[in-house]
Amino acid sequence: MREIIRNFELLSLDEKNRRNLAVSSWLVKQLQDELETVNADRLVVGVYAPLVGEPVWWQNDAVKRFPVDWAFPVARREESDVREMDFYLCKEEELVPQSSFGIKLRVPPQQISPVIPDCFLIPGMAFDQSGNRLGKGKGWYDYYLKNIRGKKIGVCFQEQLVNEVPVNDDDIQMDVVITDSGVFNASKS
């Protein structure tokens, strides 16, 4: 999987932009469907600030104009081994750099009142047709999402959509996976 990420890093800037724009365009369609499904005027969407090699989902200006409020995650390790993660309303341009767990992240500057998003964009190393997700191994999203009802939208590049992802009982399946080639409804088992 890491080879897929490295190969993406070697692409030209134009090719990266083209592929990120394709992900963004499919995302706009998915958000429109979600807005109609929940019969609302506006959504709160839990999103991620892309790390190197992850799709930049906000590449399309239509995404920025969409009637949503973005909520970015902040993860913290509590005294026990419990993983705590909350989402906070924030615009992409307001994110501030922070080093957490050895990774350079961008997080909301003010973490006053957490929100529970209506749906989620979730990155991963790989996804399969059943909506299974291979994360980065710490289980932050799985732990947070285990009691959340909102639609779970996996986001990756086409090469990261594989035949099968290894899973265990704690892994949360996605409802939909968006790539630069399209939107795939997960066939949950």
Side-chain angles (χ1 to χ4, degrees):
M1 288 305 129
R2 295 195 193 283
E3 183 178 323
I4 293 170
I5 301 299
R6 270 184 254 131
N7 288 342
F8 181 77
E9 292 171 9
L10 297 174
L11 294 175
S12 71
L13 184 57
D14 285 344
E15 181 63 11
K16 288 178 185 177
N17 286 337
R18 184 192 69 73
R19 295 185 73 186
N20 284 323
L21 184 59
V23 168
S24 292
S25 296
W26 289 111
L27 174 59
V28 169
K29 291 177 173 56
Q30 185 61 42
L31 289 176
Q32 185 61 47
D33 289 349
E34 186 63 16
L35 204 56
E36 291 170 9
T37 299
V38 298
N39 195 23
D41 294 331
R42 193 164 192 84
L43 292 172
V44 174
V45 181
V47 295
Y48 63 94
L51 298 174
V52 174
E54 293 179 340
V56 180
W57 55 267
W58 60 62
Q59 193 82 23
N60 185 334
D61 286 339
V63 168
K64 294 179 182 178
R65 292 190 306 267
F66 206 80
V68 298
D69 294 313
W70 307 117
F72 289 85
V74 174
R76 7 174 224 290
R77 189 175 314 238
E78 298 295 326
E79 292 295 319
S80 66
D81 195 30
V82 173
R83 291 170 181 86
E84 294 288 328
M85 184 166 76
D86 289 307
F87 285 81
Y88 298 89
L89 296 178
C90 181
K91 294 180 176 140
E92 175 263 329
E93 60 272 10
E94 297 172 338
L95 294 170
V96 296
Q98 172 184 317
S99 251
S100 289
F101 314 111
I103 299 171
K104 292 180 182 178
L105 303 171
R106 295 188 307 150
V107 299
Q110 296 181 353
Q111 299 161 16
I112 300 168
S113 298
V115 297
I116 298 175
D118 299 309
C119 64
F120 299 85
L121 301 186
I122 303 165
M125 296 289 287
F127 295 88
D128 65 22
Q129 296 288 340
S130 297
N132 295 311
R133 171 183 167 269
L134 178 64
K136 296 194 176 176
K138 301 295 182 192
W140 292 98
Y141 279 99
D142 295 316
Y143 187 82
Y144 179 83
L145 294 169
K146 69 181 176 185
N147 296 313
I148 300 290
R149 293 185 181 261
K151 182 176 269 185
K152 296 147 191 79
I153 303 168
V155 182
C156 66
F157 295 109
Q158 181 62 36
E159 295 86 350
Q160 294 170 275
L161 196 59
V162 298
N163 289 333
E164 186 176 1
V165 168
V167 295
N168 64 45
D169 292 340
D170 296 326
D171 291 333
I172 302 296
Q173 286 182 298
M174 303 296 101
D175 299 301
V176 171
V177 177
I178 295 176
T179 74
D180 48 318
S181 297
V183 176
F184 303 89
N185 289 311
S187 55
K188 296 196 175 193
S189 50

